[in-house]
Each structure stands twice: as structure tokens, then as C-alpha cells.
Amino acid sequence: MSSQRGNVSRTRAQKHKNRFVFKNDLHDKTPQQIRLNAMHVSTVCQRCKEQIEWKIKYKKYKPLSQAKTCAHCHQRTVRKAYHVICKDCAVKAKCCAKCLKSADEVSIEAPGPTPREEQQLQAEMDRLVKSFSERKRRAFLRYMQKGKKQPPAEQDEQELEAEEKAKRVAHTRDELLDKIKQLNLAEEDDEDFDDEDDEEDDDSEFDSEAEEEEEEEDESDEEEEKAQKKPTKAK
């Protein structure tokens, strides 16, 4: 580009172009990087969430080495980088944990379950579906892994049109228990249906046996009649 005053237009193309997309774990397979990529950014507004996700994507995220002091409760309970208040205070005040904007002004990302809570829920669900048949157990696992669509927040029409697909979130414990009850009821109905089929099979077997006996009696009567009608030869 020329240094001439007013010459701000450039005809040539961009000199440096990336041929491949940047991957933050291409040469970094450490547990910390894997944990950062799997981290769910919550208790922040949409703008702050995008900023933190950008830092994680391009390896600019710097995790805390020790807990930080919360701006509300003044306790060392802030364990996530770039947050100024802890998770409990953010949920209680209904505000963003990074920019402190209220939920009335911006939409706040709901906090997700901790890894310990996820493990407890998984163990409880495994114990409950242990008595299920293989088909129903697989159906419940698919239902649990698929999750549900996140309910849309109050947004403008333009924002709703921009969001093509709603993000899915994990089912709650009550929803999973309701699904288990439905599968239990379905299994009981299947057992009743099987019992009715067995009774019908028994009745059909009894009817078939009776019909066979009647056919044998008819055949024996016909043979006796034929034997009586045969003429005797004269000596």
C-alpha cells in the first residue's frame, strides 16, 4: 500500500493466507489441554462466553494456579480464569460472573453439573437400568446421551433467525427417572401381552388336538363302512 495521503485502497490480495485451520491440540496432547477443550463455559453472558471460548480455541487461555478472591463474598472461591465472582454468588445474584451484567440485560449461560455430580448421576442410572432388557437399556442410553433441546430465551426475531439449530443440553435427574418409569410400564405391558399370547397358543393347541381326534374317528368309521360294503366271493 502506498504512503500517499488518501490512498487507502489496495488491489492485490492478502499476502499471508492460512492453508490449514489452527488446532490447539495438534502438538499438545496434555491432560490440561484436553480438559480445557472439554470444559463447559457457564455462569457468564453470551459475549463473555464467546471471548473465553476464543481464548481456549487459540491457546490464549491462562488457567488460575490458585483460587482467586470473589468480589461479592470476599472468599477465595473463584476457581475459573477471567471470572471476578464465584459460581454460587453468580447464581444467587443472577448476573454474569465475568462482566457482572444482570440477567435482565443479557442472557446468562446456565451452570452445568460438576464432574463429580455427573459420575454420581451415571452410577445411579446404571444401577436403575440394570434389570432392563438389552433393547430397553440401549433405548434409555440413547435418550440420555442425545440430551434435549435448550429452550429458546426471549430474543429478537433477527437473533432467532441467526440461530439455526438450538443447542442440546443434558437431561435432568427427574426427566431420566420419568423415562425409566415409562420403560418399566412398557415392559409390564409387553409381559401381559406375552401371557395372553401363551393362553391363546394353549387354546389353539387344545382345539387342534380335538380336531385331530375327530378326524381320526371319522376315518375309522369310513373304513368300517367300506369293509361292510365289500361283497363276499362265492365258493
Side-chain angles (χ1 to χ4, degrees):
M1 180 181 294
S2 174
S3 60
Q4 182 183 0
R5 179 176 294 181
N7 186 10
V8 294
S9 61
R10 184 172 62 186
T11 56
R12 69 174 177 82
Q14 182 179 342
K15 188 173 183 179
H16 176 73
K17 294 181 181 179
N18 293 328
R19 295 183 179 179
F20 305 101
V21 68
F22 179 78
K23 294 183 179 180
N24 58 4
D25 58 350
L26 183 61
H27 303 292
D28 187 3
K29 302 293 184 181
T30 57
Q32 181 180 356
Q33 187 62 39
I34 296 173
R35 186 168 59 253
L36 287 177
N37 289 337
M39 185 176 66
H40 175 65
V41 182
S42 60
T43 64
V44 293
C45 64
Q46 186 64 27
R47 182 171 180 271
C48 295
K49 180 182 177 182
E50 292 175 357
Q51 291 176 354
I52 296 174
E53 288 178 346
W54 183 90
K55 290 178 181 293
I56 295 173
K57 183 178 180 180
Y58 293 103
K59 290 183 72 69
K60 303 294 183 182
Y61 187 91
K62 296 180 181 180
L64 296 176
S65 58
Q66 56 184 358
K68 196 167 62 173
T69 304
C70 176
H72 282 187
C73 63
H74 304 290
Q75 301 292 329
R76 299 179 68 87
T77 52
V78 180
R79 304 187 182 279
K80 291 186 178 181
Y82 311 105
H83 289 202
V84 294
I85 59 176
C86 61
K87 177 182 176 181
D88 296 336
C89 292
V91 173
K92 189 183 298 183
K94 294 181 180 180
C95 65
C96 175
K98 183 176 180 292
C99 64
L100 300 180
K101 287 185 178 180
S102 174
D104 299 333
E105 301 176 5
V106 293
S107 59
I108 308 297
E109 184 73 17
T114 61
R116 184 177 180 181
E117 293 174 350
E118 290 180 352
Q119 291 178 358
Q120 291 177 353
L121 181 63
Q122 184 68 32
E124 183 181 4
M125 294 301 111
D126 291 342
R127 180 176 54 81
L128 292 175
V129 303
K130 189 176 181 180
S131 60
F132 281 4
S133 63
E134 184 67 16
R135 180 173 64 86
K136 295 190 181 297
R137 187 177 65 83
R138 288 179 179 273
F140 177 76
L141 291 177
R142 286 195 300 270
Y143 173 80
M144 187 174 178
Q145 292 174 0
K146 187 177 181 181
K148 64 178 180 179
K149 289 185 177 180
Q150 189 174 4
E154 296 180 358
Q155 297 176 348
D156 299 335
E157 295 181 358
Q158 297 178 355
E159 294 179 356
L160 292 174
E161 291 177 358
E163 296 179 357
E164 296 179 356
K165 294 182 180 179
K167 294 182 179 179
R168 291 185 173 270
V169 294
H171 291 286
T172 59
R173 181 175 179 275
D174 297 334
E175 292 173 349
L176 295 175
L177 292 176
D178 292 339
K179 184 67 175 179
I180 289 175
K181 290 180 181 178
Q182 293 176 4
L183 293 174
N184 279 327
L185 293 175
E187 190 172 3
E188 291 176 359
D189 294 339
D190 293 342
E191 290 177 357
D192 296 339
F193 184 73
D194 294 339
D195 294 339
E196 292 176 358
D197 290 344
D198 294 339
E199 292 177 358
E200 291 177 357
D201 294 339
D202 296 338
D203 295 338
S204 61
E205 290 177 359
F206 178 76
D207 295 338
S208 62
E209 290 176 358
E211 290 177 356
E212 290 177 358
E213 291 177 357
E214 291 178 358
E215 290 178 355
E216 291 177 356
E217 290 177 358
D218 294 339
E219 290 177 356
S220 61
D221 294 339
E222 290 178 357
E223 290 177 355
E224 290 177 359
E225 290 178 358
K226 289 180 180 179
Q228 291 175 3
K229 288 180 180 180
K230 285 182 179 180
T232 56
K233 294 182 180 181
K235 295 182 180 180

